[in-house]
Amino acid sequence: MKKWSTEIEIQAPIEKVWGLLNGSEENMQKIMPQVVEHKPVKITDEGVGSIYRQKYKEGSRVEEYEVETLKYSDTPDHKELKVGFSLANMFDITAHYEMAKLDENRTRFKYTASNQPLKWFVKLFLIFANDKVVKNFAERVKHVAEAEA
């Protein structure tokens, strides 16, 4: 399994950052434009165990999968969301977002992603994988949150 993590300070209130990840499909698409659909399948009161059907467009191909909420915490000073899904029966992927309120207009954002190959031959793809995608995503969250704050 490969794991990447990055942390960044965002000049925006914690609720603004949280709304991009835990809000509407429209807000999610601002930071994940390839997600073309994000619909609830099963929602739990505590968040953990909730399942969403998501469609992701890569070029002309659209992948469909179920995203399960593995960890969920929503307090005024700390927010956390961890989701997991299997992509094309090739990879088990998790995305873990953590936000900490630094003050009214600053948030520390940490993003950790992991990728577990499910087939022996896809392990080769991970040999050259790096943290560029994780860092680019954190920068996109920062840019969108700060532009809207």
Side-chain angles (χ1 to χ4, degrees), residues 18-31 38:
W18 182 240
L20 293 171
L21 296 157
N22 190 49
S24 67
E25 180 179 312
E26 180 184 340
N27 277 350
M28 181 181 284
Q29 288 172 336
K30 291 175 185 176
I31 56 171
H38 182 77

Side-chain angles (χ1 to χ4, degrees), residues 66-134:
E66 289 189 346
V67 178
E68 182 177 2
T69 302
L70 305 171
K71 195 178 233 185
Y72 186 90
S73 174
D74 182 2
T75 67
D77 295 334
H78 180 264
K79 303 190 184 295
E80 190 171 6
L81 176 65
K82 183 176 183 179
V83 297
F85 59 96
S86 289
L87 185 60
N89 293 318
M90 298 285 214
F91 300 98
D92 272 344
I93 298 171
T94 64
H96 188 189
Y97 314 103
E98 292 180 84
M99 286 138 273
K101 180 179 180 177
L102 299 175
D103 61 34
E104 294 305 313
N105 294 305
R106 291 184 314 132
T107 303
R108 186 175 60 249
F109 176 68
K110 182 177 181 183
Y111 173 47
T112 304
S114 70
N115 194 324
Q116 173 73 47
L118 298 176
K119 312 257 192 240
W120 68 268
F121 57 89
V122 294
K123 288 181 182 180
L124 299 173
F125 292 109
L126 291 182
I127 291 172
F128 302 105
N130 60 38
D131 64 352
K132 184 179 176 184
V133 171
V134 170

